[in-house]
Amino acid sequence: MNRPPTPADPVGSGAQNPIEEPGTHESRWRHWQGWESIPHTRLPAGGRVVVVAAHPDDEVLGFGGAITVLAQRDVELTVVSITDGEGSHPRSRVVTPSALARLRARELRSALDELGAARARIVRLRVADTRVARHEEDVAAALAPHLRAADLVAAPWTGDVHSDHEAAGRAAVTAARRAGISCALYPVWMWHWAVPGDPRVPWRKARRVELPSHVQALKRAAVDRFTTQIRPLGPGPDEAAILPPEELAHHLRTTEVLFR
């Protein structure tokens, strides 16, 4: 869940990057009456599911509870990291990009273990962080062999207002269409920049996954494994946590949302 390298503009020319603006407090989301209007969705009871992420941790933040549910059903899981997330702290004096890539790969493996998905296969495409949009067609082609005989692919939402997330989602949608399988898109940054009932969000396509308390606990433990993202790497603003507590709160609620 790296911050975007350049301003994004979801509403019109000249708009500020909404990810850099103060976000929506989680209490507003938790008290939103619109939750009840979002239908529940059914996750596969077997077969194969491919989970695509732009950066290691996107899949846990946006789809981690679902991963636990699928693992408990013995669904075969493949997790595809498009980038290694090496660009989350581009001016760090504490860790180099290559070292950060190795750390984040280990964090992902540990997080999947916490979710009960120790048998999940991890595929690293090693596309340059912040550059997914430049390689979108290549990413779609690289996903193709992993989608064969899959029952579902989950990927970041194409409207997430982060260039890597949106390109990852578009590539997954393209690959899923070519493979003839269903694609579900999970939001990550949306909870930060959107507001309840936001007209920029396609709520009619939204579906929710309710997470039992034991699944919520496993997801919390998995998120805690991403220490390079939830804790400062060192002193100074260049080493700051990407996911402070107020941001994590969006991803530790009782519900996950997918756009189908």
Side-chain angles (χ1 to χ4, degrees):
M1 185 173 168
N2 298 13
R3 290 187 179 276
T6 56
D9 180 11
V11 291
S13 177
Q16 291 287 341
N17 174 9
I19 294 177
E20 298 299 335
E21 295 295 306
T24 301
H25 197 276
E26 176 59 13
S27 62
R28 291 187 64 186
W29 288 111
R30 298 207 179 196
H31 290 97
W32 182 37
Q33 298 300 311
W35 289 114
E36 293 303 318
S37 66
I38 299 177
H40 293 274
T41 191
R42 292 184 179 181
L43 296 171
R48 286 187 63 238
V49 171
V50 178
V51 186
V52 177
H55 317 99
D57 76 355
D58 295 338
E59 65 293 284
V60 174
L61 295 168
F63 197 69
I67 288 174
T68 290
V69 172
L70 293 167
Q72 291 175 345
R73 295 175 179 177
D74 289 326
V75 173
E76 183 183 344
L77 291 163
T78 298
V79 175
V80 181
S81 294
I82 295 177
T83 81
D84 286 334
E86 71 278 7
S88 67
H89 294 78
R91 291 176 292 276
S92 174
R93 299 182 180 182
V94 175
V95 62
T96 65
S98 59
L100 187 55
R102 292 191 295 272
L103 288 170
R104 294 192 72 174
R106 289 200 291 268
E107 289 171 348
L108 174 58
R109 179 76 274 173
S110 295
L112 292 173
D113 290 350
E114 292 284 5
L115 293 175
R119 292 186 293 175
R121 178 175 174 242
I122 298 175
V123 177
R124 296 167 64 186
L125 298 186
R126 293 183 171 87
V127 173
D129 199 350
T130 76
R131 298 292 186 268
V132 179
R134 298 183 183 184
H135 304 281
E136 191 175 316
E137 181 56 39
D138 290 337
V139 171
L143 290 173
H146 304 292
L147 300 191
R148 294 192 188 111
D151 298 277
L152 175 70
V153 58
W157 177 42
T158 54
D160 211 36
V161 189
H162 185 299
S163 62
D164 277 355
H165 291 199
E166 294 184 348
R170 290 192 301 267
V173 168
T174 296
R177 183 179 66 250
R178 291 170 179 170
I181 65 173
S182 178
C183 185
L185 302 174
Y186 57 85
V188 181
W189 277 112
M190 186 196 82
W191 306 112
H192 174 89
W193 56 259
V195 296
D198 199 313
R200 296 170 293 179
V201 177
W203 298 111
R204 291 184 179 180
K205 297 181 179 180
R207 300 293 184 268
R208 58 184 167 131
V209 179
E210 293 295 330
L211 307 181
S213 58
H214 73 281
V215 174
Q216 295 173 47
L218 292 176
K219 184 174 179 178
R220 167 80 257 192
V223 169
D224 284 345
R225 291 292 186 169
F226 292 105
T227 57
T228 64
Q229 306 302 296
I230 67 175
R231 298 188 182 97
L233 298 179
D238 291 340
E239 318 297 342
I242 301 298
L243 295 167
E246 61 269 22
E247 199 64 52
L248 288 177
H250 299 316
H251 305 286
L252 298 174
R253 58 170 77 117
T254 62
T255 302
E256 290 176 345
V257 168
L258 303 173
F259 297 114
R260 302 298 294 261

